[in-house]
């Protein structure tokens, strides 16, 4: 068992900390946000993530929460999990550099390991601040299944420039039984950007197929995705057509990969196209509603779902918010509901119950695929409904009042048997 430091207790840092504590390691968790630290000390996760509260409380006795980097003095490993947001169109590595400087100032001896997503060009800069080359150990967890993904990742990527650091990291993650990819720090960084950009491209691809299906009678993108996904070379994941991808990572990581490629002089045309397809979607969703309702000006529209996807309270780059901003621009009165997420959006009234969101609204947009929005077909009778997540049964909806994604007009019946 080791003494392990975590720097930055957000989605990645907290998930890494509780899982490694659960394996019996002694964790020292550093953050600059005192409010967050206070909550964590009381066993209250500052984010909504399935199973987090229970695992945190089970391991609190092995977790020190602190704002003082000096408490990391005896840690063998220092996982850096701070944000790398986009600033002026570029990956902002200032939080990583600030953490690196604090490590250096506190004269810490542990191996610095970067979990934050950061381009290869930044590794050299950070190593200068640290006075040594960090290990790149990119994180692949998804919000909503963060703990599961940390315990059972598909692979672990370790980008180290020496075998000693590599072996130490391999030892930490050996409990996952996942295949280990031995890489250079630069390769580890590109594996992360390429993976997120590939998945984002897959989503934009199926969204374009959905647009096509809407214009071809008797075509449903769900059947197309099923037919494609059964080919194991394609795979059935990330083929759910929807309002476009959002979240704290796909938008920023596709942007940074494009930056990197442009600066090197080899633009990534495929990722460029995936991004531009995605950027159009929020307005296209609002246009769909306008087509259905005639006009939305002055009308009350209820939006179900604020989070960027189900099972998280994260609203960063949420398409739902982009749709709401567009609705407000078009003069609609917008009311929103989400079971977990809260967001301050100008001009939006947020309510605490979905019934309240639905009751007086003329139009409804399902923007996030929360389980509790399934089966609402009856409750939505008499309303105009746009289901951007394809969770309602179209056969139970009146086509005059209903619109969805990726479904062409039905002019003939097909055999109903499912094989
Ligand atoms: P987050 O914003 O949820 O959390 C970051 C935490 O770091 C915050 O609690 C913040 O207070 C703290 N922090 C900031 N500066 C600090 C400093 N100098 N010292 C100590 N703490 C500091 O971020 P996140 O979503 O966990 O993402 C972290 C990194 O991991 C990003 O690079 C992101 O791209 C990457 N990533 C995120 C996910 C995800 O699902 N969220 C998945 C894989 C990779
Ligand atoms: C994504 C990746 O899946 C993780 O592997 C990665 O670690 C993480 O980004 C990161 O780097 O932060 P996450 O952003 O939590 O994880 O969510 P995803 O499940 O990937 O969904 C991203 C977006 O794509 C969401 O808006 C979601 O609604 C959308 N999506 C996803 C679709 O529209 N259709 C799909 O079939 C899948």
């Amino acid at each position: 068992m080791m003494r392990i430091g975590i720097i930055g207790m957000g989605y990645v840092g907290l998930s890494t900390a509780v899982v490694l504590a659960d394996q019996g390691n002694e964790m020292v968790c550093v953050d600059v946000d005192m409010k967050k630290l206070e909550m964590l000390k009381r066993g209250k996760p500052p984010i909504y993530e399935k199973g987090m509260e229970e695992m945190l409380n089970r391991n609190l006795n092995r977790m020190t929460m602190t704002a003082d980097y000096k408490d990391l003095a005896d840690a063998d490993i220092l996982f850096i999990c701070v944000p790398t947001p986009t600033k002026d169109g570029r990956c902002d590595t200032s939080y990583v550099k600030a953490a690196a400087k604090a490590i250096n100032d506190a004269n810490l001896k542990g191996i610095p390991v970067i979990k934050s997503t950061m381009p290869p060009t930044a590794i050299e800069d950070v190593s200068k601040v640290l006075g040594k080359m960090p290990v790149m150990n990119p994180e692949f967890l998804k919000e909503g299944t963060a703990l599961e993904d940390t315990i059972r990742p598909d692979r672990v990527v370790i980008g180290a420039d020496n075998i000693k650091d590599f072996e130490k990291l391999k030892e930490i993650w050996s409990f996952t039984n996942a295949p280990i990819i031995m890489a250079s720090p630069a390769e580890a960084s590109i594996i992360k950007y390429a993976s997120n950009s590939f998945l984002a491209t897959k989503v934009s691809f199926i969204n374009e197929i959905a647009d096509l299906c809407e214009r071809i009678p008797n075509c449903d993108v769900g059947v197309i995705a099923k037919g494609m996904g059964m080919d194991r070379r394609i795979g059935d994941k990330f083929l759910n057509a929807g309002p476009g991808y959002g979240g704290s990572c796909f938008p920023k990581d596709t942007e940074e990969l494009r930056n990197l490629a442009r600066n090197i002089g080899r633009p990534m045309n495929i990722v460029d196209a995936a991004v531009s397809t995605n950027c159009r979607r929020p307005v296209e969703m609002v246009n769909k509603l306008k087509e259905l309702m005639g006009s939305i000006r002055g009308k009350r529209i209820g939006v179900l779902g604020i989070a960027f996807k189900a099972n998280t309270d994260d609203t960063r780059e949420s398409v739902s918010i982009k749709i709401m901003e567009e609705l407000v621009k078009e003069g609609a009165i917008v009311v929103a509901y989400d079971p977990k997420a809260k967001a301050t959006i100008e001009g939006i009234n947020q309510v605490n119950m979905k019934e309240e969101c639905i009751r007086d609204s003329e139009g409804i947009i399902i923007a996030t695929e929360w389980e509790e929005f399934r089966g609402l077909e009856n409750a939505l009778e008499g309303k105009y409904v746009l289901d951007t997540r394809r969770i309602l049964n179209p056969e139970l909806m009146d086509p005059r009042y209903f619109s969805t994604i990726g479904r062409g007009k039905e002019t003939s019946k097909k055999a109903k048997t499912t094989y």
Side-chain angles (χ1 to χ4, degrees):
M1 290 306 123
M2 292 186 217
R3 191 167 162 86
I4 299 175
I6 302 282
I7 299 169
M9 289 293 282
Y11 287 87
V12 170
L14 179 57
S15 305
T16 308
V18 296
V19 167
L20 291 181
D22 212 42
Q23 291 300 313
N25 295 294
E26 203 58 49
M27 306 303 297
V28 183
C29 309
V30 176
D31 206 290
V32 288
D33 184 336
M34 300 309 285
K35 240 171 76 193
K36 209 173 245 191
L37 289 174
E38 281 316 310
M39 284 184 79
L40 287 168
K41 277 183 197 163
R42 284 186 281 113
K44 288 269 162 244
I47 52 165
Y48 171 73
E49 192 59 54
K50 197 172 102 202
M52 184 62 85
E53 186 155 4
E54 198 219 320
M55 200 182 265
L56 172 64
N57 281 284
R58 191 161 78 221
N59 291 290
L60 264 185
N61 58 336
R62 273 193 292 271
M63 298 173 77
T64 305
M65 312 293 177
T66 174
D68 190 351
Y69 274 72
K70 291 203 191 75
D71 292 335
L72 294 165
D74 299 327
D76 304 303
I77 305 280
L78 305 164
F79 280 111
I80 301 176
C81 311
V82 298
T84 48
T86 302
K87 192 177 166 195
D88 304 327
R90 302 298 312 267
C91 173
D92 175 9
T93 53
S94 62
Y95 298 88
V96 181
K97 285 185 193 144
K101 182 170 182 308
I103 289 173
N104 207 14
D105 290 350
N107 201 15
L108 304 178
K109 298 286 175 256
I111 303 170
V113 180
I114 300 183
K115 277 217 153 285
S116 302
T117 306
M118 169 182 110
T121 41
I123 301 172
E124 191 68 28
D125 294 347
V126 174
S127 72
K128 278 188 195 136
V129 183
L130 282 167
K132 58 177 143 183
M133 185 58 106
V135 177
M136 296 296 286
N137 177 211
E139 179 54 63
F140 298 97
L141 66 78
K142 300 181 289 312
E143 292 178 18
T145 53
L147 293 178
E148 223 172 288
D149 292 346
T150 309
I151 297 164
R152 273 179 287 280
D154 288 344
R155 76 301 207 187
V156 171
V157 175
I158 304 173
D161 77 338
N162 68 82
I163 197 72
K164 224 172 113 217
D165 288 357
F166 172 79
E167 289 297 340
K168 197 86 178 170
L169 262 292
K170 194 173 154 198
E171 188 188 336
I172 289 183
W173 295 117
S174 61
F175 74 92
T176 64
N177 290 322
I180 305 264
I181 310 286
M182 192 183 200
S184 70
E187 284 165 346
S189 160
I190 295 292
I191 289 172
K192 174 66 195 175
Y193 279 105
S195 301
N196 269 2
S197 299
F198 189 84
L199 291 171
T201 303
K202 209 172 169 187
V203 173
S204 274
F205 183 87
I206 201 67
N207 285 340
E208 288 199 350
I209 296 290
D211 289 347
L212 199 68
C213 286
E214 284 170 21
R215 288 151 183 87
I216 301 175
N218 307 308
C219 258
D220 185 321
V221 70
V223 180
I224 312 297
K226 195 169 172 188
M228 288 170 66
M230 280 181 179
D231 184 327
R232 276 174 293 169
R233 293 169 304 174
I234 297 173
D236 61 358
K237 306 284 189 297
F238 280 70
L239 286 179
N240 291 322
Y245 60 78
S248 68
C249 290
F250 280 8
K252 84 170 169 65
D253 293 349
T254 45
E255 185 158 349
E256 186 53 27
L257 186 63
R258 292 165 74 210
N259 270 331
L260 191 68
R262 263 197 309 266
N263 291 342
I264 286 169
R266 298 294 294 183
M268 300 219 36
N269 302 333
I270 293 173
V271 184
D272 286 348
V275 170
S276 90
T277 294
N278 198 59
C279 286
R280 286 196 297 272
R281 283 195 87 71
V283 173
E284 284 171 359
M285 295 302 112
V286 174
N287 286 343
K288 264 168 134 11
L289 186 72
K290 276 163 51 182
E291 233 169 75
L292 186 68
M293 293 181 67
S295 150
I296 56 171
R297 187 161 293 279
K299 294 187 179 159
R300 180 173 142 138
I301 309 296
V303 175
L304 293 175
I306 303 173
F308 80 95
K309 64 171 189 177
N311 304 319
T312 179
D313 58 353
D314 199 342
T315 61
R316 289 178 283 184
E317 293 290 319
S318 171
V319 182
S320 168
I321 294 180
K322 294 192 170 115
I323 290 174
M324 288 194 262
E325 286 167 347
E326 202 53 40
L327 289 170
V328 170
K329 252 197 252 162
E330 293 280 338
I333 300 155
V334 184
V335 180
Y337 164 79
D338 191 285
K340 296 287 175 198
K342 298 273 168 283
T344 323
I345 317 152
E346 218 180 294
I348 310 292
N349 176 17
Q350 224 171 297
V351 293
N352 294 325
M353 282 172 26
K354 60 176 175 291
E355 291 76 11
E356 210 182 331
C357 182
I358 296 168
R359 197 184 308 124
D360 298 319
S361 296
E362 213 171 310
I364 298 289
I365 298 184
I366 297 183
T368 312
E369 73 284 22
W370 283 101
E371 199 53 38
E372 66 174 75
F373 301 155
R374 289 177 197 274
L376 282 181
E377 290 85 353
N378 282 341
L380 295 174
E381 213 184 319
K383 314 274 180 198
Y384 287 101
V385 178
L386 169 62
D387 177 9
T388 73
R389 295 290 186 166
R390 295 174 46 87
I391 60 175
L392 299 179
N393 181 352
E395 315 227 325
L396 300 178
M397 304 300 287
D398 182 337
R400 290 170 303 170
Y401 297 98
F402 180 65
S403 179
T404 184
I405 302 291
R407 222 176 122 86
K409 251 202 180 70
E410 206 172 279
T411 58
S412 69
K413 294 276 171 212
K414 63 184 164 198
K416 285 276 179 206
T417 321
T418 314
Y419 290 97

